[in-house]
Structure formats: structure tokens, C-alpha cells
Amino acid sequence: MNSGNQFVETLKKVGYPKAAQLNGEDFDWLFETVEDKSFLVWFCGNVNEQHVLAEKELQAFDALLKSGKPILEEEALDEVLKTCKTFDSKSSSMEEGELQKLEEEFQALQKIKNLNIHRRNKLQMMASTNSHMSLKLNDKAEEAAKILKEGQGIFNAVNTKINNELHSLTEGVKKLTFFFTFSDSEQGLGPHPVFLSQLALDKYLCQEEKSTAALTSYTKKQFFQGISELVESSNEENFQLVDISKPLICDENNEVCKERLEMARLQMAYICAQHQLIQLKAKDISINSAVQWAENNLQSLKNKTFGKEEHLEARICSLNSEISKIKKQLTQINNEILPSLVKENAQLLNMPVVKGDFDLQIARQDYYTLRQDQVCNQLLKQKASFELLQLAYEIELRKHRDIHRQLENIIQDLKQSSKALEQRLEMMSDPLISQHAVPRNTIDSRDDVSHRLYQLLEGENPKQQLFRTHEGIQQMAQKLKQDITSVQDQLAVSSQEQFLFLSKLDSDLDALCDSLYWGGNQILLSNQELTEQLYQLEVNLNKLNQLIMDLLADVKAKRKVLETNTLHQMERKLYVYFFKDEDYLKAIVEKLEHQSQAQTIGLED
């Protein structure tokens, strides 16, 4: 039974009126030390109903207190009792004095005996209590030593782990600081730079300056002074066909006028040469035609006789009139048609020259644009490299800012953690918490850490206890551990069920994909087998329709034949009789046989 319950039971035995309303667990904290427990044992073993004052005695004592008379206590009361005893002994007789002495001696011896018995009992009780406490303390000491050993092992493991983590952290910080603190003096000894901002841009800038200088010299060399005017001089007005009928008035120093005059002279020379060539060709053709005509006439004169002179004269007149007409036509051609044609041809003489000039100008422009494109491409490459470098710097700067912000946040978190750790260490260094003469089960009211831990483990519990104990924290921690284990088991079961469900869902999804895609890349809105069967059914239906159409056409054709041919009509009737009325068919056949026999007999007669 707990100490508090023993105390409450003793109060009930004594007759305390409110003992039924008391809870024994609320008094456990009063009897944690050895002295308190020994007092509890004495109190429970010696106090009974006789030690309780009656109601009358209490009223008499209250009346004595209200009267204001002095009340003797302890030493004063002992002295008064001694005087009373001496006064009684003087007033008694001598006989009674000896008897009184013997009684007093007897009473004293009896008291000494009772006191010795009481001391003996008390000492035995204290010895048993001490032995029991020693055994309990030995068990607690062994348990505490075991717990201390386990705690030391856990603490050593945690300390080793923390030391390893701190060591790895310090090594990482050293590497990080060495990684970031790259200086120019360590270029020959340290590692290669890893950031773009650590690289020296002297070589890049020198190379860019060389490229710019080479590009500038190339540009000056290719695009010399006056090339733009040379390229822009290829206007259409500078290359026009020359009309020699119009007078040319130009400056002799102008290159364009010189070219126009030269083209005009070429046209005049071409016109003269063409005129002479045409005249000579005409004469040649006329002579050849005259010779041919003469040969033809001589041949005809040899073969034929001469006719009458009147016919010759008429022919000569007609020929003369034709010759005059031909001469007029020739004169018109020489004076009107031929000059205009020659002039037009002469104007077209400068087309190759103009084309050549235009081709030259186009080639110059192509060359000029090609060189411009090369220069522009080089400039774009330089600009692109510069912008790429600038973009890389900006990206690296942004990353550095992010890292700096993260490091500042880490520093703030470490400062807060260090402050919290200092507060905890300062709190734990309090002698009222860290050192106890006697271990207490209840939590001290100043132990804020344990109280916060108790509130955290307890949660929103409506039944809050008056006194919080370490055993309660241990029980709640064990319950929390059990809850965590059960939750982990439930999570494992749910994850396994989820995995099974997902695997089933994946298999169903694969089956659905196989049914939808049918091994291809395009989705099929219907089943492939059903589609094939429907397609085969459609083909069969088309064949059936075709057969029905053919059958209907055949029936229609046969009906037309039956309408026109009596023999086929008779055959049809016979087939109908054959399938429907065989007896009637036999009768008809027999009738026809008799008729044929009769006819044959008649023919024979």
C-alpha cells in the first residue's frame, strides 16, 4: 500500500470526519524521505482512538483559552507538577512516605520498562524499516546503476556520433572555405578555380582586342573610300539604250557621256556595215536570179520554137510593168523599212555591253554584301560571346546571392539553437534540479523543461493531475512509443495495400492500353478483334448484296426470256409441276407421249 493511502486509512481509523474525501495519492509526496516514512510508520502504529480528544475536552480547552488565563506548557508544567508532588509528600505522614516512595519507584521502573519496550519496538521497527529500505535502495541502486550504464552508453554513442558529425562538418566547412577563398597568390599551388568570377579575363580581353583590331583592319581594307559610290553608281539611268536619232550633248570629262558617245559610234558603224552588207547581198541575189532566169529561158528557147512577135511584145510589156513595181517596192524598202530595222538592230547592239556592266555591278554588290555579312557575323559572334559571359556572371551572382541568403539563415538558426542550448544548460545547472539529496518522484514546480515535456506528452487531457511525476512521463512516453509502433505497423500495412493496389492498377492500365492501342502508336476507339469481325461481316454483307443483285438481274433476264419464248415457258411449267405436282406432270407426259405416238403412226400410214 502506498504511504498516502496508509496515512488516509489511519485518519479514518482515528475518526477524522473528512477522511472519506481525501485521496491517498495526493499525500505520497509528503513521505518520500526516510524520516518522513519513519514518522508515518510511528504514526500509523501508535495513534489510535485514545489519542483523540473528546468533544467535552475540546470545549473545556476552548473555554480555558477564552478565559484568558495563562496555560502552562512543557518545562513550566513540569516544574509545577514537581512542586505539587513535594507539597503532597510534606503533608502526608511518614508511613505513607515510604509507601509513596515505593510506589513512585515502582511507577518509575514501570515507566522505564514501558519506555524501554517502546524504544525496543521502535528500534526493531526502524531496523526492519532500514533493512527494507536498504534492500529497496540496493535494488534501486542496481537499477540506477544499470540505467546509468545504459545512459552512459547511449550518451557515449550520441557523443561519438555528434563528434563525428562535427568533425565532418568542420572538414566540410574547411573545404568550403578553401573552395571559396581562392586568391591570386595561390594560383600556382592551390586548386583550379571553379567559379567564373575567379577566372582572370586578361586573355579573353586580349583576344577580343586582337579580333577587333583584325576586324577593323579587314574592314578598312575591304571597304575602302569610294566603294559605296562605286556600288551605288549602278543606277538604271546610267545603262540605257542609245537613240542615235537624238543629238547627244555631253561633257567630255564625264565617263557616262564618253560611254554613250562610244555606243553611238558603234551603232553608226553597225548601221553602215549592215546597209552595205544588205546591198551586197541584194546585188548578189539579183545577179544569181538573173543568171538563173537566163538559163531557164535559154533552155526553154532550145526546147520550143519562137512564137509570134505580138505575144512577145505583150509579155515584154507585162514584164516591164512588173519590174517597175518591183523597183518601187525596193525603193520603199531601202528608204523606209530597211533603215528602221537596221536602226532597231543597232540600238540592240549595246545590250551585251549594258548586260556586262550590270553583271559587273551585281558582282561588286555581291562581293560587297558578302564582306558585309562576314563582318556582321564576326561582330555578332563577339557580341554573343560577350552577352554569354555577362549572362554567366549574372547567373553565378544570383546563385551566390542565394547561397549567401541560405548561409545567413543557417547562421541565424545556429545562433538561435546555441541560445536555446545555453538556456537549457543554464536551467539544468540549477542545483535545485541537477542535484537532489534524495531523489523525488514528483516534478519540481521550477523544472520548466519537464513540465513542458509532460504537457507535450499529455496533450489535451481534461483530467489533469495535481502532482506530476516522472513515472507519469515514463508511462506516457511508453504509450507514445507503443502508439508510434502501431502507427508504423498500420502505415506498413497501408503501404503494402497501396502497393498491391497500384500494381493491380498498373496491370489494368496495361491491359487497357493494349486493348486501346493494340500494339501500335495510335489509339483505337474500338476493339481490334471486334473491328475485324465487323469488317469481315461488312465484306460478307457486300458479297451477299452483290449476289442478291446478280440473282435479281438473272431473274429479271429470265422473266424477259420467259415472256418471249414459249418453249421456256413450257419448261418452267414442267419444272413447277415436277416440284409441286408430280402426278399431274406424269399425266401430261403420258398424254404427250400418246400424242407423239399417234402422230408417228399417222405419218407411217
Coordinates of all heavy atoms in Angstrom, one line a residue, residues 22-104:
L22 N -10.6 12.4 1.2 CA -9.2 12.5 0.8 C -8.7 11.4 -0.1 O -9.3 10.3 -0.1 CB -8.3 12.5 2.1 CG -8.6 13.6 3.1 CD1 -7.8 13.4 4.4 CD2 -8.3 15.0 2.5
N23 N -7.7 11.8 -1.0 CA -7.1 10.8 -1.9 C -5.7 10.5 -1.4 O -4.9 11.4 -1.2 CB -7.1 11.4 -3.3 CG -6.7 10.4 -4.4 OD1 -6.5 9.2 -4.0 ND2 -6.6 10.8 -5.6
G24 N -5.4 9.2 -1.3 CA -4.1 8.9 -0.8 C -2.9 9.2 -1.7 O -1.8 9.5 -1.2
E25 N -3.2 9.2 -3.0 CA -2.1 9.6 -3.9 C -1.6 11.0 -3.8 O -0.5 11.3 -4.2 CB -2.5 9.3 -5.4 CG -2.7 7.8 -5.6 CD -3.2 7.5 -7.0 OE1 -3.3 8.5 -7.8 OE2 -3.3 6.4 -7.4
D26 N -2.5 11.9 -3.3 CA -2.1 13.3 -3.1 C -1.2 13.5 -2.0 O -0.6 14.6 -1.9 CB -3.4 14.1 -2.9 CG -4.4 14.1 -4.1 OD1 -3.9 13.8 -5.2 OD2 -5.6 14.3 -3.9
F27 N -1.0 12.5 -1.1 CA -0.1 12.7 0.0 C 1.2 11.9 -0.1 O 2.0 11.7 0.8 CB -0.8 12.2 1.3 CG -2.0 13.1 1.7 CD1 -3.2 12.7 1.3 CD2 -1.8 14.3 2.4 CE1 -4.3 13.5 1.6 CE2 -2.9 15.0 2.7 CZ -4.2 14.7 2.3
D28 N 1.4 11.3 -1.3 CA 2.7 10.5 -1.5 C 3.9 11.4 -1.4 O 5.0 10.9 -1.0 CB 2.6 9.8 -2.9 CG 1.6 8.7 -2.8 OD1 1.2 8.2 -1.7 OD2 1.1 8.3 -4.0
W29 N 3.8 12.6 -1.9 CA 5.0 13.5 -1.9 C 5.4 13.9 -0.5 O 6.6 14.3 -0.3 CB 4.7 14.7 -2.8 CG 3.6 15.6 -2.2 CD1 2.2 15.4 -2.3 CD2 3.7 16.7 -1.4 NE1 1.5 16.3 -1.7 CE2 2.4 17.2 -1.1 CE3 4.8 17.4 -0.8 CZ2 2.2 18.3 -0.3 CZ3 4.6 18.5 -0.1 CH2 3.3 18.9 0.2
L30 N 4.5 13.7 0.5 CA 4.9 14.1 1.9 C 5.8 13.1 2.5 O 6.5 13.4 3.5 CB 3.7 14.3 2.7 CG 2.7 15.5 2.4 CD1 1.5 15.4 3.2 CD2 3.5 16.8 2.6
F31 N 5.9 11.8 2.0 CA 6.6 10.8 2.7 C 7.6 10.1 1.8 O 7.7 8.9 1.6 CB 5.6 9.7 3.2 CG 4.5 10.2 4.0 CD1 3.2 10.4 3.5 CD2 4.7 10.7 5.3 CE1 2.2 10.9 4.2 CE2 3.7 11.2 6.1 CZ 2.4 11.3 5.5
E32 N 8.4 10.9 1.0 CA 9.4 10.4 0.1 C 10.7 10.2 0.8 O 11.4 9.2 0.5 CB 9.6 11.4 -1.0 CG 8.4 11.5 -2.0 CD 8.7 12.4 -3.1 OE1 9.8 13.0 -3.1 OE2 7.9 12.4 -4.1
T33 N 11.1 11.0 1.8 CA 12.3 10.8 2.6 C 12.2 9.7 3.6 O 11.1 9.2 4.0 CB 12.8 12.1 3.2 OG1 11.8 12.5 4.2 CG2 12.9 13.2 2.2
V34 N 13.3 9.2 4.2 CA 13.4 8.2 5.2 C 12.7 8.7 6.5 O 12.0 8.0 7.2 CB 14.8 7.7 5.4 CG1 14.8 6.6 6.5 CG2 15.4 7.2 4.1
E35 N 13.0 9.9 6.9 CA 12.5 10.5 8.1 C 11.0 10.5 8.1 O 10.2 10.2 9.0 CB 13.1 11.8 8.4 CG 14.6 11.8 8.8 CD 15.4 11.8 7.6 OE1 14.9 11.7 6.5 OE2 16.7 11.8 7.7
D36 N 10.5 11.0 6.9 CA 9.0 11.1 6.7 C 8.4 9.7 6.8 O 7.3 9.5 7.4 CB 8.7 11.8 5.4 CG 9.2 13.2 5.4 OD1 9.3 13.8 6.5 OD2 9.4 13.8 4.3
K37 N 9.0 8.7 6.2 CA 8.4 7.4 6.2 C 8.5 6.8 7.6 O 7.6 6.1 8.0 CB 9.2 6.5 5.2 CG 8.9 6.8 3.8 CD 9.5 5.8 2.8 CE 9.1 6.1 1.4 NZ 9.7 5.1 0.4
S38 N 9.6 7.0 8.4 CA 9.6 6.6 9.8 C 8.5 7.2 10.6 O 7.9 6.6 11.5 CB 11.0 6.8 10.4 OG 11.2 8.2 10.4
F39 N 8.3 8.5 10.4 CA 7.2 9.2 11.1 C 5.9 8.6 10.7 O 5.0 8.4 11.6 CB 7.2 10.7 10.8 CG 6.0 11.4 11.2 CD1 5.8 11.7 12.6 CD2 5.0 11.8 10.3 CE1 4.7 12.4 13.0 CE2 3.9 12.4 10.8 CZ 3.7 12.8 12.1
L40 N 5.7 8.2 9.5 CA 4.4 7.6 9.0 C 4.2 6.3 9.7 O 3.1 5.9 10.1 CB 4.5 7.5 7.5 CG 3.2 6.8 6.9 CD1 2.0 7.7 7.1 CD2 3.4 6.5 5.4
V41 N 5.3 5.5 9.8 CA 5.2 4.2 10.5 C 4.9 4.3 11.9 O 4.0 3.6 12.5 CB 6.6 3.4 10.3 CG1 6.5 2.1 11.1 CG2 6.8 3.0 8.8
W42 N 5.5 5.3 12.6 CA 5.2 5.5 14.0 C 3.8 6.0 14.2 O 3.0 5.6 15.1 CB 6.2 6.5 14.6 CG 5.8 7.0 16.0 CD1 6.1 6.3 17.2 CD2 5.0 8.1 16.4 NE1 5.6 7.0 18.3 CE2 4.9 8.1 17.8 CE3 4.4 9.1 15.7 CZ2 4.2 9.1 18.5 CZ3 3.7 10.1 16.3 CH2 3.6 10.1 17.7
F43 N 3.4 6.9 13.3 CA 2.0 7.5 13.4 C 0.9 6.4 13.2 O 0.0 6.3 13.9 CB 1.9 8.6 12.4 CG 0.6 9.3 12.4 CD1 0.3 10.3 13.4 CD2 -0.4 9.0 11.5 CE1 -1.0 10.9 13.4 CE2 -1.6 9.6 11.5 CZ -1.9 10.6 12.5
C44 N 1.2 5.6 12.2 CA 0.2 4.5 11.9 C 0.2 3.4 12.9 O -0.9 2.8 13.2 CB 0.4 3.9 10.5 SG 0.2 5.1 9.1
G45 N 1.3 3.2 13.6 CA 1.3 2.1 14.6 C 0.9 2.5 16.0 O 0.5 1.7 16.8
N46 N 1.1 3.8 16.4 CA 0.8 4.2 17.8 C -0.4 5.0 18.0 O -1.0 5.0 19.0 CB 2.0 5.0 18.3 CG 3.3 4.2 18.3 OD1 3.2 3.0 18.6 ND2 4.4 4.8 18.0
V47 N -0.8 5.7 16.9 CA -2.0 6.6 17.1 C -3.3 5.8 17.0 O -3.4 5.0 16.0 CB -2.0 7.8 16.1 CG1 -3.2 8.6 16.2 CG2 -0.8 8.6 16.3
N48 N -4.2 6.0 18.0 CA -5.5 5.3 17.9 C -6.6 6.2 18.5 O -6.3 7.4 18.6 CB -5.4 4.0 18.7 CG -4.8 4.2 20.1 OD1 -4.9 5.3 20.7 ND2 -4.3 3.2 20.7
E49 N -7.8 5.6 18.8 CA -8.9 6.4 19.2 C -8.6 7.1 20.6 O -9.2 8.1 20.9 CB -10.2 5.6 19.3 CG -10.7 5.1 18.0 CD -10.0 3.8 17.6 OE1 -9.0 3.4 18.3 OE2 -10.3 3.2 16.5
Q50 N -7.8 6.5 21.4 CA -7.5 7.1 22.8 C -6.8 8.4 22.7 O -6.8 9.2 23.6 CB -6.7 6.1 23.6 CG -7.4 4.8 23.9 CD -6.6 3.8 24.6 OE1 -5.4 4.1 25.0 NE2 -7.1 2.6 25.0
H51 N -6.0 8.6 21.6 CA -5.2 9.8 21.5 C -6.1 11.0 20.9 O -5.5 12.1 20.8 CB -4.0 9.6 20.6 CG -3.0 8.6 21.1 ND1 -3.1 7.2 20.9 CD2 -1.9 8.8 21.9 CE1 -2.2 6.6 21.5 NE2 -1.4 7.5 22.1
V52 N -7.3 10.7 20.7 CA -8.2 11.7 20.1 C -9.0 12.3 21.3 O -9.6 11.6 22.1 CB -9.1 11.1 19.1 CG1 -10.1 12.2 18.5 CG2 -8.3 10.5 17.9
L53 N -9.0 13.7 21.3 CA -9.7 14.4 22.4 C -11.2 14.3 22.2 O -11.7 14.3 21.0 CB -9.3 15.8 22.5 CG -7.8 16.1 22.8 CD1 -7.5 17.5 22.8 CD2 -7.5 15.5 24.3
A54 N -11.9 14.2 23.3 CA -13.4 14.1 23.2 C -13.9 15.5 23.0 O -13.2 16.5 23.1 CB -14.0 13.5 24.4
E55 N -15.2 15.6 22.7 CA -15.9 16.9 22.4 C -15.9 17.8 23.6 O -15.7 19.0 23.6 CB -17.3 16.6 21.8 CG -17.9 17.9 21.3 CD -17.3 18.4 20.0 OE1 -16.6 17.6 19.3 OE2 -17.4 19.6 19.7
K56 N -16.2 17.1 24.8 CA -16.2 17.9 26.0 C -14.9 18.5 26.4 O -14.7 19.6 26.8 CB -16.7 17.0 27.2 CG -18.2 16.6 27.0 CD -18.6 15.7 28.2 CE -20.1 15.3 28.0 NZ -20.5 14.4 29.2
E57 N -13.8 17.7 26.2 CA -12.5 18.2 26.5 C -12.1 19.3 25.6 O -11.5 20.3 26.0 CB -11.5 17.0 26.3 CG -11.7 15.9 27.4 CD -10.8 14.7 27.1 OE1 -10.1 14.7 26.0 OE2 -10.7 13.9 28.0
L58 N -12.5 19.2 24.3 CA -12.2 20.3 23.4 C -13.0 21.6 23.8 O -12.4 22.7 23.7 CB -12.6 19.9 22.0 CG -11.7 18.9 21.3 CD1 -12.3 18.5 19.9 CD2 -10.3 19.4 21.1
Q59 N -14.2 21.4 24.3 CA -15.0 22.6 24.7 C -14.4 23.2 26.0 O -14.3 24.4 26.1 CB -16.4 22.2 25.0 CG -17.2 21.8 23.7 CD -18.6 21.3 24.0 OE1 -19.0 21.3 25.2 NE2 -19.4 20.9 23.0
A60 N -13.9 22.3 26.9 CA -13.3 22.9 28.1 C -12.0 23.6 27.8 O -11.7 24.7 28.3 CB -13.0 21.7 29.1
F61 N -11.2 23.1 26.8 CA -10.0 23.7 26.4 C -10.3 25.0 25.7 O -9.6 26.0 25.9 CB -9.2 22.8 25.5 CG -7.9 23.3 25.1 CD1 -6.8 23.4 26.0 CD2 -7.7 23.8 23.8 CE1 -5.6 23.9 25.6 CE2 -6.5 24.3 23.4 CZ -5.4 24.3 24.3
D62 N -11.3 25.1 24.9 CA -11.7 26.3 24.2 C -12.2 27.4 25.3 O -11.8 28.6 25.1 CB -12.8 26.1 23.2 CG -12.4 25.2 22.0 OD1 -11.1 25.3 21.7 OD2 -13.2 24.6 21.4
A63 N -12.9 26.9 26.3 CA -13.3 27.8 27.4 C -12.1 28.4 28.1 O -12.1 29.6 28.5 CB -14.3 27.1 28.3
L64 N -11.2 27.5 28.4 CA -10.0 28.0 29.1 C -9.2 29.0 28.2 O -8.7 30.0 28.8 CB -9.1 26.8 29.4 CG -7.8 27.1 30.1 CD1 -8.1 27.7 31.5 CD2 -6.9 25.8 30.3
L65 N -9.2 28.8 26.9 CA -8.5 29.7 26.1 C -9.2 31.1 26.1 O -8.6 32.1 26.1 CB -8.4 29.2 24.6 CG -7.4 28.0 24.4 CD1 -7.5 27.5 23.0 CD2 -6.0 28.4 24.7
K66 N -10.6 31.0 26.1 CA -11.4 32.2 26.0 C -11.3 33.0 27.3 O -11.4 34.2 27.3 CB -12.8 31.9 25.7 CG -13.0 31.4 24.3 CD -14.5 31.1 24.0 CE -14.7 30.6 22.6 NZ -16.1 30.2 22.3
S67 N -11.1 32.3 28.5 CA -11.0 33.0 29.8 C -9.8 33.9 29.9 O -9.7 34.8 30.7 CB -11.0 32.0 30.9 OG -9.8 31.1 30.8
G68 N -8.8 33.6 29.1 CA -7.6 34.5 29.1 C -6.6 34.1 30.2 O -5.6 34.8 30.4
K69 N -6.8 33.0 30.9 CA -5.8 32.6 31.9 C -4.6 32.0 31.3 O -4.7 31.4 30.2 CB -6.5 31.5 32.8 CG -7.6 32.1 33.7 CD -8.3 31.0 34.6 CE -9.4 31.6 35.4 NZ -10.0 30.5 36.3
P70 N -3.5 32.1 31.9 CA -2.3 31.5 31.3 C -2.3 30.0 31.3 O -2.8 29.4 32.3 CB -1.1 32.1 32.2 CG -1.8 32.4 33.5 CD -3.2 32.8 33.2
I71 N -1.7 29.4 30.3 CA -1.6 28.0 30.2 C -0.2 27.6 30.2 O 0.7 28.1 29.5 CB -2.3 27.5 28.9 CG1 -3.8 27.9 28.9 CG2 -2.2 26.0 28.7 CD1 -4.5 27.7 27.5
L72 N 0.1 26.6 31.1 CA 1.5 26.2 31.2 C 1.8 25.1 30.2 O 0.9 24.2 29.9 CB 1.7 25.6 32.6 CG 1.5 26.6 33.8 CD1 1.7 25.9 35.2 CD2 2.5 27.8 33.7
E73 N 3.0 25.1 29.7 CA 3.4 24.1 28.7 C 4.8 23.7 28.9 O 5.6 24.5 29.5 CB 3.3 24.7 27.3 CG 1.9 25.0 26.8 CD 1.8 25.6 25.4 OE1 2.9 25.8 24.8 OE2 0.7 25.9 24.9
E74 N 5.1 22.4 28.6 CA 6.4 21.8 28.6 C 7.1 22.0 29.9 O 6.7 21.5 31.0 CB 7.2 22.3 27.4 CG 6.6 21.9 26.1 CD 7.4 22.5 24.9 OE1 8.4 23.2 25.1 OE2 7.0 22.2 23.7
E75 N 8.2 22.8 30.0 CA 9.0 23.0 31.2 C 8.3 23.6 32.4 O 8.5 23.1 33.5 CB 10.3 23.8 30.8 CG 11.1 23.1 29.8 CD 12.4 23.9 29.4 OE1 12.5 25.1 30.0 OE2 13.2 23.5 28.6
A76 N 7.5 24.6 32.1 CA 6.8 25.2 33.2 C 5.8 24.3 33.9 O 5.7 24.2 35.1 CB 6.0 26.5 32.7
L77 N 5.2 23.4 33.0 CA 4.2 22.5 33.5 C 5.0 21.4 34.4 O 4.5 21.0 35.4 CB 3.4 21.8 32.4 CG 2.4 20.8 32.8 CD1 1.3 21.5 33.6 CD2 1.8 20.2 31.5
D78 N 6.1 21.0 34.0 CA 6.9 20.0 34.7 C 7.3 20.6 36.1 O 7.2 19.8 37.1 CB 8.1 19.6 33.9 CG 7.8 18.9 32.6 OD1 6.7 18.2 32.6 OD2 8.6 18.9 31.7
E79 N 7.7 21.8 36.2 CA 8.1 22.4 37.5 C 6.9 22.5 38.4 O 7.0 22.2 39.6 CB 8.7 23.8 37.2 CG 10.0 23.7 36.5 CD 10.6 25.1 36.2 OE1 9.9 26.1 36.6 OE2 11.7 25.2 35.7
V80 N 5.8 22.8 37.8 CA 4.6 22.9 38.7 C 4.2 21.6 39.3 O 3.8 21.4 40.4 CB 3.4 23.6 37.9 CG1 2.1 23.5 38.7 CG2 3.7 25.0 37.6
L81 N 4.3 20.6 38.4 CA 4.0 19.2 38.9 C 5.0 18.7 39.9 O 4.6 18.0 40.9 CB 4.0 18.2 37.7 CG 2.9 18.4 36.7 CD1 3.1 17.5 35.4 CD2 1.5 18.1 37.3
K82 N 6.2 19.1 39.8 CA 7.2 18.8 40.9 C 6.9 19.4 42.2 O 7.0 18.8 43.3 CB 8.6 19.2 40.4 CG 9.1 18.3 39.3 CD 10.5 18.8 38.9 CE 11.1 17.9 37.8 NZ 12.4 18.4 37.3
T83 N 6.5 20.7 42.2 CA 6.1 21.4 43.4 C 4.9 20.8 44.1 O 4.8 20.6 45.3 CB 5.9 22.9 43.1 OG1 4.9 23.0 42.1 CG2 7.2 23.6 42.7
C84 N 4.0 20.4 43.2 CA 2.8 19.7 43.7 C 3.1 18.4 44.4 O 2.6 18.0 45.5 CB 1.7 19.5 42.6 SG 1.0 21.0 42.0
K85 N 4.0 17.7 43.8 CA 4.4 16.4 44.4 C 5.1 16.6 45.7 O 4.9 15.9 46.7 CB 5.3 15.6 43.4 CG 4.5 15.1 42.2 CD 5.5 14.4 41.3 CE 4.7 13.9 40.0 NZ 5.6 13.2 39.1
T86 N 6.0 17.6 45.8 CA 6.7 17.9 47.1 C 5.7 18.3 48.2 O 5.9 18.0 49.3 CB 7.8 18.9 46.9 OG1 7.1 20.1 46.3 CG2 8.8 18.4 45.9
F87 N 4.7 19.1 47.7 CA 3.8 19.6 48.7 C 2.9 18.5 49.3 O 2.6 18.4 50.5 CB 2.9 20.7 48.1 CG 1.8 21.2 49.0 CD1 2.2 22.2 50.0 CD2 0.5 20.8 48.9 CE1 1.2 22.6 50.9 CE2 -0.4 21.3 49.8 CZ -0.1 22.2 50.8
D88 N 2.6 17.5 48.5 CA 1.8 16.4 48.9 C 2.6 15.5 49.8 O 2.1 14.9 50.8 CB 1.3 15.5 47.7 CG 0.3 16.3 46.9 OD1 -0.4 17.2 47.5 OD2 0.1 16.0 45.7
S89 N 3.9 15.3 49.5 CA 4.8 14.5 50.4 C 5.0 15.0 51.8 O 5.1 14.3 52.8 CB 6.1 14.3 49.7 OG 6.8 15.5 49.5
K90 N 5.0 16.4 51.9 CA 5.2 17.0 53.2 C 3.9 16.9 54.1 O 4.0 16.7 55.3 CB 5.5 18.5 53.0 CG 6.9 18.7 52.5 CD 7.2 20.2 52.3 CE 8.6 20.4 51.7 NZ 8.9 21.9 51.6
S91 N 2.8 16.9 53.4 CA 1.6 16.9 54.2 C 1.2 15.4 54.6 O 0.3 15.2 55.4 CB 0.4 17.5 53.3 OG 0.3 16.7 52.1
S92 N 1.8 14.5 53.9 CA 1.5 13.1 54.3 C 2.3 12.7 55.5 O 3.3 13.3 55.9 CB 1.8 12.2 53.1 OG 3.1 12.2 52.8
S93 N 2.0 11.6 56.0 CA 2.7 11.1 57.2 C 4.0 10.3 56.8 O 4.2 10.1 55.6 CB 1.8 10.1 57.9 OG 1.4 9.0 57.1
M94 N 4.7 10.0 57.7 CA 6.0 9.3 57.5 C 5.7 7.9 57.0 O 6.5 7.4 56.1 CB 6.8 9.2 58.8 CG 7.3 10.6 59.2 SD 8.3 11.5 58.1 CE 9.7 10.4 58.1
E95 N 4.6 7.2 57.4 CA 4.4 5.9 56.9 C 4.0 5.8 55.5 O 4.4 5.0 54.7 CB 3.2 5.2 57.8 CG 3.6 5.0 59.2 CD 3.4 6.2 60.1 OE1 2.8 7.2 59.5 OE2 3.7 6.2 61.3
E96 N 3.2 6.8 55.2 CA 2.8 6.9 53.8 C 4.0 7.3 52.9 O 4.0 7.0 51.8 CB 1.7 7.9 53.7 CG 0.4 7.4 54.4 CD -0.7 8.4 54.2 OE1 -0.4 9.5 53.6 OE2 -1.8 8.2 54.6
G97 N 5.0 8.0 53.5 CA 6.1 8.4 52.7 C 6.9 7.2 52.2 O 7.3 7.3 51.0
E98 N 7.1 6.3 52.9 CA 7.8 5.1 52.4 C 7.1 4.4 51.4 O 7.6 4.0 50.3 CB 8.2 4.2 53.6 CG 9.1 4.7 54.6 CD 9.4 3.8 55.7 OE1 8.8 2.7 55.7 OE2 10.3 4.1 56.6
L99 N 5.7 4.2 51.7 CA 4.9 3.6 50.7 C 4.8 4.4 49.3 O 4.9 3.8 48.2 CB 3.5 3.4 51.2 CG 2.5 2.6 50.3 CD1 3.0 1.2 50.1 CD2 1.1 2.6 51.0
Q100 N 4.8 5.7 49.5 CA 4.7 6.5 48.4 C 6.0 6.4 47.6 O 6.0 6.4 46.3 CB 4.5 8.0 48.8 CG 4.3 8.9 47.6 CD 2.9 8.6 46.9 OE1 2.0 8.1 47.5 NE2 2.9 8.9 45.6
K101 N 7.1 6.3 48.3 CA 8.4 6.2 47.6 C 8.5 4.9 46.8 O 9.0 4.8 45.7 CB 9.6 6.2 48.6 CG 9.8 7.6 49.2 CD 11.0 7.6 50.1 CE 11.2 9.0 50.7 NZ 12.3 9.0 51.7
L102 N 8.0 3.8 47.5 CA 8.0 2.6 46.8 C 7.1 2.6 45.5 O 7.4 2.0 44.5 CB 7.5 1.4 47.7 CG 8.5 1.1 48.9 CD1 7.8 0.1 49.9 CD2 9.8 0.6 48.4
E103 N 5.9 3.2 45.7 CA 5.0 3.3 44.6 C 5.7 4.2 43.4 O 5.6 3.8 42.3 CB 3.7 3.9 45.0 CG 2.8 3.0 45.8 CD 1.5 3.6 46.2 OE1 1.3 4.8 45.9 OE2 0.7 2.9 46.8
E104 N 6.3 5.2 43.9 CA 6.9 6.1 42.9 C 8.1 5.3 42.2 O 8.2 5.4 41.0 CB 7.5 7.4 43.5 CG 6.4 8.3 43.9 CD 7.0 9.6 44.6 OE1 8.2 9.6 44.8 OE2 6.2 10.5 45.0

